[in-house]
Structures are given as structure tokens and as C-alpha cells.
Amino acid sequence: MAKKTARQLKLGAVLVGVGNDQFGWRDPDLPGDASIDINWFIKNAQLAEASKFDFVFLVDSPFITPDTTPHFLNRLEPLTLLSALAVTTSKIGLIATLTTSYWEPYNVARQFASLDNISHGRAGWNVVTTGLEGASRNYGREEHFDHAVRYARAHEFVQVVQGLWDSYEDDAFPRDKVAGVFLDKTKQHALNHKGEFFSVAGPLALSRSKQGQPVIFQAGISEDGRNLGAHIADGIYAGVDNFEDAQEYYADVKARASALGRDPDHITIAPGLSPIIEDTDEAARERVESRKEKLDLDKLLVQLGRAFNYHDFRKYPLDEPFPDVSHLSLNAYKGGAERIVRRAREGNLTLRQAAYRLAERGSNFVGSPQTVADEIERWFVGRAADGFNLHISRPSDFAKFREQVLPILQAKGLFKTEYEHDTLRGHLGLPVPENRWTLQAAQLQAAE
Ligand SMILES: Cc1cc2nc3c(=O)[nH]c(=O)nc-3n(C[C@H](O)[C@H](O)[C@H](O)COP(=O)(O)O)c2cc1C
């Protein structure tokens, strides 16, 4: 009998097709067009659902260069893709990344509310502000918003979207065919929002799903990123890369949320996970070493530069101290760029070492299925994570996780063997938010 613990590990499946490292796409078992083949996504979402994953998760970005990594180079648009997954799965949550820097709240509210209705309450939105400045040129703008502006805009953006999602109270449509009453007009509400960034009247032409509103995820590690997460996030795709940092991030974001009067248990913190699983610890370590030998340094330097808006690190000497980049704007992946500089300084790293260090990111989970499951448990119990976002690309890696690691986690009582809910909020242990207008009316009535 598996032990039962109150707190359960949450698992997301990040479907990254041909992957974002140097090797994944060359796996003989992975179709070269996985990132644009809807059947690849359907198959893997169904496998994740059969293994009781809580959600699938799609990353996205509105800017590419010829040096962009394989999955990002050529991929399907997330909302369109998730609509197809909504009708080919029935339990698993469906989370798409969408940037607040290049959209309007009305569009975003409509798209996610549609996905939430199509999937019967399984939609989630990963709110990002976009790191790459080149995106501005795809949207008719000369410049990317500054980091602080992006975050202020994101905060207001989400509030407007959530306001629009409450346009109809849950009993707004009597659809009384005999009496001829389709809508109860008193239950339709315009938002009439006028703020620093947006002016949105509403109402939105779509009612709520059975989970009330789509779930909000967020990703961003700077101070502003942490504050936004503490304010708005039901879940966080955490950009952490070792246990100690993860614990610090976890405690910090939850403390910020508590200080705002929020229940910290209502934020699922889920770092990315790319485990290297082999039959023995030794075999797994050998795989890591042999990958390291094959890494193309030029490509690593491009990846390093990405955090600094694709700054070209290939022009610096490799074996001298990490170059002084203090003159560069940190407007792109600010939190990530600051971390690279800090680590290089603290470790007295050369440029070559810093590039390899970045490639080792996420190599905390290397070993036999037992070792990987134990390490997941350590992070979960040690409050470094509430769950993980497993990157799904190579079929054999995903199979090993499902068939060998998950049963160990289930035997430990950490992960469910059956779904207990069929909405994303249900999976994440989140209450259905009351419609704000219904709540207001009830409060007014109580006060009378
Ligand atoms: C773990 C993580 C994942 C992210 N995923 C995306 C993404 O899929 N698409 C995107 O446009 N930006 C993404 N971002 C970028 C952030 O939204 C943000 O614009 C950028 O990281 C700068 O914020 P920060 O300094 O707070 O990290 C991600 C950031 C982090 C840390």
C-alpha cells in the first residue's frame, strides 16, 4: 500500500518537440518535425495524462534569430495547439505561455476563456513579459519596453484580463425558451477599466467555465519578477538551477505572497526538470560526461549571449576572466543575466567555464530511477519545489521517467495514482474564485 501524504507533488509536461539543447533533435527516435506535428503533441499529452500529470505546458517567444534553438526555430502557436489537445484529452491541465508585452488584454482574455470552455475548465496562462528585445520589430515598435515597465504593464494586464473573465455571473443565462429570456441583463457586467496602460470597457462575450477562471502561471526571476509572481501567480515556472537557490527562491516568493495576504499554499512552485536517467548512477554520469565532450562551444556562447539580448560573446578570449559586461543593457533576461555575472564573479570563472556552467544547468537530477526519485523527494520535502515541469522531447527519456521514476514517487506516497479532479484548479488544489459581481452583491445584501 502506498503511503498517503497530505501535500502532493505536482507534475507538468513541457512539450518541447525537438528540444532546446544541442542534441535532442538528433535522437533517432524523435521525429525531426516533432515541434510542428500536432500528432506528436497529442500523443505525448495523452501519455502524460495516462501517467496522471497535472498539466501540459507550452513555452513560447515572439522573436527568433538563425541561432535560436531547434524547438523555438519552428513551432506551433500555443493557443491553437492547446485547442487540439483540449479535445483529445479529458483531465490534464493545458497551460500556454503568452506575453503581456505584445498583446492586448481583451484578445488574451477571449482566447484563454475560449480554451477554458473548450477544455471544460482545464486552461492556464503562463504570463511572461518577454526577454528578447527584437520582438519589438515584429510588432511595429522601435523599442522593447524597459524591464520595469514590462512588469508594471504585466500586472495591470492580468488584472484587466481577470476582470473581463468575470463579465458574466454564473447564472447570467436563464435561456428560458418558454418565457423568452436568454440573458438576465443584470448579470452582465462591463469592466470600464481605465489605468496606466489600458483602457478596456468590456464586457467580454464569453461566460466562465466550471473552474471559474483560467489558472495563472508566471515565469521571471528578478525582483520585479518575484513580486509579480507573489501578486498574481497560482503557479510559477521557476528558473532555478540548484537546490539551495531553489529553496531561497521558494521561501522568498511564498513570503512575499503571505505579506500580501495570500495563502502561500495556493502558489505551486515548479522548476524545470531535465533528468538524465540510466540503469545505474555510473551510467548516467557517463552519459553526462560524454555529452559534455560533444558540446559545441560556439553554440554555448550564443546561448550565454541570449540572456543579454543575444550579445556576441564569441569575440572575447575564452580563457581569460569572464568579460566585463557592465556596459550592456540588462533589459532582456535581466534576472538570468545578473545571475550569470554573479556566478562568474563568485567562482572566478573564465568565459569558457561560464559557458559550460550554463550548459550544466538542470543537471541536478542524474542517476538511476531511484536516485532521481530520491532527489525529487529531497527538493519537494525540503521546500525547494511543490512540483516540477518535466521537459518532454526524447521518447526514451520520457518513457524512463513514466515507467521507472513515477512508480517510485507513487510508492513513496508523493504522487497520485488516479486523478481526483477534472479541472486544472482541482489538480492544483485551488478554490474556484467567486465571480466578483456575485460576491459584491452578496456583500451588499449582507450589509443591508
Ligand atoms: C524560467 C523562465 C521561463 C521563461 N519563459 C519565457 C517564455 O516562454 N517566453 C517569453 O517570452 N519569456 C519567457 N521568460 C522571460 C520573462 O517573462 C521575462 O521577460 C524575462 O525573464 C525577464 O524577467 P526576469 O528578469 O524577471 O527573469 C521566462 C523567464 C524565466 C525565468
Side-chain angles (χ1 to χ4, degrees):
M1 252 305 261
K3 286 175 282 169
K4 261 259 182 228
T5 59
R7 187 169 160 250
Q8 289 278 292
L9 187 75
K10 307 299 173 199
L11 284 180
V14 189
L15 304 179
V16 281
V18 289
N20 285 316
D21 66 17
Q22 295 186 16
F23 307 113
W25 68 275
R26 297 170 74 173
D27 182 296
D29 297 327
L30 181 65
D33 63 353
S35 295
I36 52 167
D37 178 6
I38 189 59
N39 291 321
W40 183 87
F41 287 94
I42 292 173
K43 183 174 144 197
N44 282 284
Q46 289 176 341
L47 286 171
E49 186 167 74
S51 294
K52 320 300 174 203
F53 274 62
D54 297 291
F55 51 88
V56 299
F57 192 101
L58 300 176
V59 289
D60 197 44
S61 155
F63 176 68
I64 58 168
T65 76
D67 286 321
T68 296
T69 52
H71 172 67
F72 274 104
L73 268 181
N74 190 17
R75 83 204 104 99
L76 298 172
E77 189 283 314
L79 267 292
T80 314
L81 197 171
L82 288 187
S83 298
L85 298 190
V87 295
T88 46
T89 58
S90 61
K91 299 274 190 196
I92 196 164
L94 306 166
I95 302 177
T97 297
L98 208 146
T99 175
T100 52
S101 296
Y102 293 98
W103 288 79
E104 286 290 321
Y106 195 86
N107 306 51
V108 172
R110 191 172 186 209
Q111 285 174 292
F112 278 97
S114 293
L115 181 67
D116 211 26
N117 276 275
I118 294 170
S119 64
H120 305 291
R122 293 186 285 136
W125 169 28
N126 179 37
V127 176
V128 296
T129 67
T130 291
L132 300 172
E133 305 193 38
S136 59
R137 298 195 295 278
N138 290 331
Y139 288 86
R141 295 216 312 257
E142 288 294 312
E143 287 188 2
H144 194 45
F145 294 125
D146 282 347
H147 190 266
V149 175
R150 296 209 301 274
Y151 273 111
R153 181 183 155 103
H155 196 179
E156 188 182 328
F157 196 120
V158 173
Q159 287 171 327
V160 174
V161 168
Q162 289 179 322
L164 288 169
W165 282 337
D166 274 353
S167 292
Y168 288 114
E169 294 183 58
D170 292 341
D171 54 354
F173 290 97
R175 299 185 183 98
D176 186 334
K177 294 188 180 180
V178 178
V181 183
F182 188 70
L183 167 71
D184 174 350
K185 289 184 185 176
T186 66
K187 304 279 167 94
Q188 184 203 59
H189 301 277
L191 184 63
N192 291 322
H193 172 88
K194 279 200 197 323
E196 188 183 349
F197 299 98
F198 303 105
S199 173
V200 181
L204 186 74
L206 191 51
S207 51
R208 296 168 21 125
S209 78
K210 68 195 263 194
Q211 71 168 349
Q213 293 199 347
V215 165
I216 301 290
F217 260 66
Q218 185 260 354
I221 52 180
S222 61
E223 278 288 305
D224 287 340
R226 290 171 185 226
N227 281 333
L228 181 68
H231 271 103
I232 63 155
D234 303 310
I236 294 184
Y237 185 178
V240 291
D241 50 19
N242 65 56
F243 180 73
E244 288 73 27
D245 278 8
Q247 270 189 325
E248 184 277 324
Y249 177 84
Y250 185 104
D252 182 58
V253 170
K254 298 238 173 176
R256 288 175 202 241
S258 294
L260 293 167
R262 295 191 59 203
D263 180 346
D265 290 341
H266 288 166
I267 306 181
T268 296
I269 296 192
L273 180 65
S274 303
I276 305 287
I277 308 159
E278 293 293 338
D279 289 344
T280 63
D281 289 352
E282 202 189 348
R285 278 195 297 269
E286 272 168 23
R287 185 167 147 205
V288 171
E289 284 312 311
S290 90
R291 276 170 67 134
K292 215 184 274 178
E293 281 161 22
K294 290 186 210 134
L295 280 171
D296 177 333
L297 184 60
D298 250 31
K299 288 189 177 147
L300 287 186
L301 292 172
V302 170
Q303 273 313 103
L304 190 72
R306 184 173 181 269
F308 303 81
N309 198 34
Y310 280 112
H311 180 66
D312 186 5
F313 277 94
R314 289 171 292 196
K315 64 187 181 192
Y316 301 105
L318 281 169
D319 296 309
E320 287 184 20
F322 189 78
D324 178 9
V325 285
S326 52
H327 61 288
L328 295 178
S329 142
L330 286 186
N331 193 31
Y333 280 80
K334 185 169 188 278
E338 284 170 348
R339 185 164 63 191
I340 291 168
V341 172
R342 192 175 63 246
R343 296 246 167 100
R345 200 174 40 229
E346 285 168 3
N348 282 326
L349 303 183
T350 63
L351 175 58
R352 187 194 301 271
Q353 288 167 329
Y356 278 100
R357 181 68 66 87
L358 194 69
E360 282 165 20
R361 244 183 347 181
S363 58
N364 304 287
F365 300 86
V366 175
S368 67
Q370 184 70 48
T371 300
V372 170
D374 289 348
E375 188 62 1
I376 288 174
E377 180 179 26
R378 186 170 80 98
W379 282 53
F380 178 68
V381 173
R383 299 270 173 181
D386 295 312
F388 289 92
N389 259 324
L390 179 73
H391 296 136
I392 311 294
S393 181
R394 291 164 54 117
S396 56
D397 286 343
F398 188 24
K400 278 183 205 150
F401 189 86
R402 292 192 321 270
E403 292 161 16
Q404 299 177 34
V405 178
L406 266 191
I408 300 175
L409 294 171
Q410 286 166 332
K412 286 173 185 275
L414 295 175
F415 189 65
K416 62 187 168 309
T417 50
E418 283 303 331
Y419 284 114
E420 288 168 13
H421 303 274
D422 56 6
T423 64
L424 179 53
R425 276 183 193 279
H427 299 328
L428 298 180
L430 297 168
V432 173
E434 179 92 76
N435 181 293
R436 67 194 60 197
W437 302 100
T438 312
L439 196 64
Q440 198 185 72
Q443 282 164 348
L444 281 176
Q445 209 169 22
E448 270 167 17

